[in-house]
Amino acid sequence: AQRVTQPEKLLSVFKGAPVELKCNYSYSGSPELFWYVQYSRQRLQLLLRHISRESIKGFTADLNKGETSFHLKKPFAQEEDSAMYYCALKDSGGSNYKLTFGKGTLLTVNP
Amino acid sequence: ETGVTQSPTHLIKTRGQQVTLRCSSQSGHNTVSWYQQALGQGPQFIFQYYREEENGRGNFPPRFSGLQFPNYSSELNVNALELDDSALYLCASSSRAGASYNEQFFGPGTRLTVL
């Protein structure tokens, strides 16, 4: 069964510090990995996906199949990055768009 | 372009009752997925509808059922409510062309409380 693990429920950093939100997955096939973000009082929205290999709002994430990880990184955190972050996995070979989410990490960036 | 909308925003029911939650998909989207998000957890996939038919289901009992209408809007029905059904229910819509899916867009959710 596919599983996504986010080991940190809470992460607190200071503005300008690097931030890394960890995500590990368990899946036997070839997964697609995503990071979703939920800002306060807003709906869940896609931040980035590994197949795009892009940087969004300064965030990047690299899929490491050897370590089954998809950690989210940003070199210099901003206060507006404070939000709930969810890592999610999709079965790339599936016939439907089912996402399996981790439990999320609440990031707080302090001034 | 109108985003995904859900109704009602909040709902309180008692054990054993039945509930219907509604979702209007984003313009141009033909696929709707439902997720349950319990407190402190990530969203958990309930099922997905495409062209008015169920297209995949998560680990939820049959008392969770759904519909998709010709205009691609959808309903989630839960019978015989249990206390553990208390959660935020999220609807997400996307467009599908053949085997290719585009990004899912989430609605604001319906907060269901079962007493």
Side-chain angles (χ1 to χ4, degrees):
Chain A
Q2 54 199 58
R3 184 186 305 171
V4 175
T5 303
Q6 293 179 252
E8 304 141 326
K9 291 185 75 171
L10 303 170
L11 184 61
S12 181
V13 301
F14 286 101
K15 177 182 173 181
V19 63
E20 181 180 51
L21 291 89
K22 290 182 167 52
C23 172
N24 289 90
Y25 67 90
S26 172
Y27 185 64
S28 58
S30 181
E32 288 184 41
L33 275 297
F34 305 82
W35 276 99
Y36 278 80
V37 62
Q38 187 166 27
Y39 301 102
S40 180
R41 298 188 187 85
Q42 293 188 28
R43 60 187 66 189
L44 196 61
Q45 58 186 284
L46 179 65
L47 180 62
L48 54 80
R49 58 176 71 181
H50 90 272
I51 58 175
S52 300
R53 303 186 67 82
E54 58 194 346
S55 174
I56 303 293
K57 299 184 178 183
F59 284 98
T60 59
D62 290 319
L63 178 61
N64 186 323
K65 291 186 178 180
E67 295 183 359
T68 59
S69 68
F70 188 57
H71 302 328
L72 183 68
K73 301 177 183 180
K74 185 170 183 177
F76 306 103
Q78 302 300 314
E79 289 180 68
E80 54 266 30
D81 296 328
S82 296
M84 193 74 179
Y85 290 81
Y86 294 96
C87 181
L89 176 156
K90 173 188 173 293
D91 174 6
S92 62
S95 63
N96 59 64
Y97 201 117
K98 169 189 172 182
L99 291 173
T100 299
F101 286 86
K103 293 185 178 182
T105 297
L106 180 61
L107 173 65
T108 302
V109 181
N110 301 297
Chain B
E1 185 175 279
T2 307
V4 180
T5 61
Q6 293 185 243
S7 63
T9 306
H10 298 89
L11 203 52
I12 299 175
K13 292 285 188 178
T14 56
R15 263 188 311 176
Q17 285 189 311
Q18 178 267 342
V19 69
T20 298
L21 310 182
R22 295 178 175 83
C23 170
S24 290
S25 59
Q26 185 164 311
S27 177
H29 287 180
N30 55 15
T31 302
V32 173
S33 301
W34 286 93
Y35 293 83
Q36 180 196 65
Q37 187 173 18
L39 200 61
Q41 305 293 316
Q44 189 173 358
F45 179 76
I46 302 174
F47 44 53
Q48 182 178 92
Y49 278 84
Y50 171 64
R51 290 186 175 178
E52 303 177 54
E53 291 192 1
E54 189 179 288
N55 179 42
R57 188 179 183 91
N59 189 26
F60 281 82
R63 60 189 184 84
F64 285 78
S65 63
L67 285 172
Q68 186 180 32
F69 300 99
N71 66 354
Y72 305 124
S73 66
S74 178
E75 288 182 353
L76 164 64
N77 298 289
V78 187
N79 294 321
L81 283 168
E82 301 178 358
L83 296 179
D84 285 348
D85 295 334
S86 295
L88 180 69
Y89 288 85
L90 297 170
C91 166
S93 75
S94 57
S95 60
R96 173 182 172 180
S100 174
Y101 286 84
N102 290 315
E103 176 187 344
Q104 283 192 349
F105 289 83
F106 283 82
T110 293
R111 174 72 62 187
L112 172 65
T113 302
V114 182
L115 302 176

